[in-house]
Amino acid sequence: MTAQLNPRGDVAVLVPAAGAGVRLGPGRPKALRLLAGEPLLVHAVRGLAAAASVHTIVVAAPVAEVSTVRDLLAPIAPVIVVPGGAERQSSVAAALAAVPAGPDIVLVHDAARALTPATLVESVAAAVRAGHDAVIPVLPVVDTIKEVDAGGTVRGTVDRAALRAVQTPQGFRRAVLAAAHAAAADALTDDAGLVEKQGVPVFCVPGSDHALKITRPFDLAVAEQLLARTLDS
Ligand code: C5P
């Protein structure tokens, strides 16, 4: 059944999904790789559409797959699909440009985090609504982290207590994200990084193990298990 988005919601979610996914091995663009028989992007959009505040979803698709993605998502939820760019940042910028007037909160979410719970989407949006201009979901770092030189020798041990692993969706006051993208000079791997460069404080909320980023074949296997367990329970 096609999900309905909330016409009174205040949140637009951008889903950059135009990456090749080279680290998953040869095959289709990553967002279209199958997880339990359905593309990662379908899982991701279904989760976003289940979040009560979501008014708009914009997907940046691989240029050659725009109509395929449109057809794929039409039965899932009413989604705007635009062609992505050469880098993640340009894909996000293209999606941001397609957000209609209305939503004051913009979330940026990777299609690769296909099992992100709707509760995480809502908690990031709630923190923006509460007054934080930029919000990221984070997890503590469990491994010991070392800085290593190009020759493979350890240069030092980083204090793990001060580190966090950053997930998506990252949430922003719309005008703050638009200004950060307009001013962006270098391509960064996340949008909070652009906003930090503007001097805007970035607030952390607890992330979720289910929002893992599916990057390598191992991650896909973990995600299959998680999904099977969720469907069982
Ligand atoms: O490559 P990486 O895993 O960091 O990509 C994160 C997200 O950005 C993925 O969902 C990917 O599809 C997206 N992306 C994009 N356009 C690109 C490169 C990556 O939308 N040119």
Side-chain angles (χ1 to χ4, degrees), residues 16-19 23 30 60 85-88 91 110-112 213:
R23 287 167 292 181
K30 179 157 75 173
E87 277 153 359
R88 180 186 180 283
S91 295
D110 289 333
K213 186 174 180 189

Side-chain angles (χ1 to χ4, degrees), residues 52-68:
S53 313
V54 173
H55 171 284
T56 298
I57 299 174
V58 185
V59 171
V63 173
E65 308 274 2
V66 171
S67 60
T68 307

Side-chain angles (χ1 to χ4, degrees), residues 15-21 23 30-31 60-61 84-92 109-113 189 213-215:
V15 188
R23 287 167 292 181
K30 179 157 75 173
E87 277 153 359
R88 180 186 180 283
Q89 197 167 302
S90 42
S91 295
V92 173
H109 185 49
D110 289 333
R113 298 185 188 272
T189 55
K213 186 174 180 189
I214 300 169
T215 304

